[in-house]
């Protein structure tokens, strides 16, 4: 290695129709820029890292086998399919040649929001942060919901019943254990000539309780869909 300095940007890939929508409205995905040192691990620590990765892959595969019909139904609608992120790393163990394991020691962290604004994040906050329990399947869940016409209609109902926004279209933008963000196409402000146009706006919808697993998230989502449909039917008489 010539230089141990390193930097990289971290973002979540936007699968399926969501990527095309964000591109059309010129909305950038939020991302994190990290700077620091990249150092090779010694053999003993590298071996520990490999073993830890194997355990993660095995754990995720075991979890998939126990998924309920509801979870599998959402994941199977995704173009990514019912796979775990560990499957993409399996080739590291299947390959004949060895790999050198490096450790990245961050020295600074910057959060870049969807508007391009930058926000410095303290390293102590980064180190104290725990992975979201849904992170392994976030992209598959988002794409599975966005690829389903029925669930897209439910997102529209969420905008109407939870936010009192008259939406004509909606996509799921992101999810976490506390709730999810929806990109809804709603009426904008009244113009000087009295006209109004539909605009894409981002909304936050909280969960009733924190979802510490994919099962809990999907169960709450289905309950919210049923409640929103019932509320809309009672209001409209349909």
């Amino acid at each position: 290695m010539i230089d141990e300095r390193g930097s990289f940007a971290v973002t979540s890939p936007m699968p399926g129709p969501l990527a095309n929508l964000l591109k059309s409205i010129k909305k950038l995905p939020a991302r994190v820029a990290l700077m620091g040192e990249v150092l090779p691990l010694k053999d003993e620590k590298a071996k520990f890292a490999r073993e830890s990765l194997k355990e993660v892959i095995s754990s995720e595969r075991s979890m998939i086998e126990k998924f309920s019909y509801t979870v599998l139904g959402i994941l199977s609608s995704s173009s990514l399919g019912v796979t775990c992120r560990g499957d993409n790393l399996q080739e590291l163990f299947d390959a004949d040649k060895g790999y050198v394991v490096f450790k990245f020691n961050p020295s600074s962290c910057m959060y870049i929001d969807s508007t391009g604004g930058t926000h410095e994040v303290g390293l102590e906050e980064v180190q104290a942060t725990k992975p979201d329990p849904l992170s392994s399947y976030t992209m598959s869940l988002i794409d599975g919901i966005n690829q389903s016409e029925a669930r897209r209609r439910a997102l529209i109902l969420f905008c109407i019943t939870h936010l009192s926004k008259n939406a004509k279209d909606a996509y799921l933008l992101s999810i976490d254990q506390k709730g999810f963000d929806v990109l809804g196409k709603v009426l904008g402000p009244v113009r000087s000539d009295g006209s109004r146009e539909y605009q894409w706006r981002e909304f936050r919808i909280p969960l009733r309780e924190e979802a510490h697993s994919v099962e809990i998230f999907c169960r709450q989502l289905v309950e919210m869909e049923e409640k929103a449909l019932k509320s809309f039917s009672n209001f409209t008489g349909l």
Side-chain angles (χ1 to χ4, degrees):
M1 180 182 294
I2 300 175
D3 194 330
E4 72 279 2
R5 291 175 298 176
S7 65
F8 62 93
V10 182
T11 185
S12 296
M14 296 296 178
L18 184 58
N20 294 329
L21 172 60
L22 293 177
K23 184 178 180 180
S24 68
I25 62 177
K26 296 180 173 60
K27 184 179 178 66
L28 298 173
R31 57 237 188 250
V32 176
L34 297 167
M35 295 187 66
E37 293 182 329
V38 181
L39 302 172
L41 289 180
K42 295 181 179 180
D43 291 343
E44 193 63 31
K45 290 186 177 181
K47 181 180 179 181
F48 176 76
R50 292 189 185 96
E51 293 303 317
S52 297
L53 181 57
K54 285 183 179 180
E55 291 180 8
V56 170
I57 294 175
S58 176
S59 175
E60 289 186 352
R61 287 176 174 170
S62 176
M63 188 183 301
I64 288 178
E65 294 175 356
K66 299 176 182 178
F67 278 161
S68 66
Y69 176 79
T70 300
V71 176
L72 292 175
I74 295 176
L75 294 178
S76 61
S77 297
S78 169
S79 57
L80 303 175
V82 186
T83 59
C84 65
R85 60 181 178 178
D87 289 341
N88 300 321
L89 302 173
Q90 184 60 47
E91 63 182 58
L92 293 177
F93 303 108
D94 297 337
D96 295 331
K97 59 182 180 180
Y99 288 86
V100 178
V101 181
F102 292 88
K103 180 182 180 181
F104 179 73
N105 293 323
S107 59
S108 67
C109 177
M110 191 73 69
Y111 174 75
I112 307 170
D113 61 34
S114 58
T115 63
T118 58
H119 313 272
E120 187 172 356
V121 182
L123 292 180
E124 63 280 357
E125 293 183 62
V126 176
Q127 294 167 354
T129 300
K130 295 181 179 180
D132 190 274
L134 308 180
S135 60
S136 297
Y137 303 94
T138 295
M139 290 300 101
S140 294
L141 288 171
I142 291 174
D143 192 43
I145 292 170
N146 286 336
Q147 297 275 15
S148 168
E149 289 296 328
R151 293 210 139 84
R152 287 266 308 285
R153 287 194 293 270
L155 293 178
I156 295 174
L157 290 181
F158 289 163
C159 292
I160 296 173
T161 59
H162 287 265
L163 306 169
S164 299
K165 299 293 184 181
N166 186 18
K168 65 180 296 187
D169 201 356
Y171 284 89
L172 187 62
L173 185 60
S174 66
I175 64 173
D176 56 66
Q177 62 182 330
K178 294 186 177 181
F180 50 91
D181 297 313
V182 174
L183 202 58
K185 195 171 188 179
V186 299
L187 281 172
V190 179
R191 295 182 171 184
S192 57
D193 61 358
S195 64
R196 300 176 70 184
E197 288 188 353
Y198 279 95
Q199 301 175 344
W200 288 100
R201 289 185 56 193
E202 186 176 335
F203 302 103
R204 177 72 176 178
I205 299 179
L207 293 172
R208 177 172 47 82
E209 61 180 89
E210 288 194 16
H212 298 294
S213 69
V214 176
E215 288 286 352
I216 296 176
F217 175 84
C218 292
R219 173 175 55 79
Q220 286 197 65
L221 179 67
V222 171
E223 291 174 354
M224 292 173 68
E225 289 173 345
E226 294 173 347
K227 185 177 180 180
L229 179 58
K230 184 177 180 180
S231 176
F232 182 76
S233 297
N234 290 338
F235 179 76
T236 61
L238 298 176

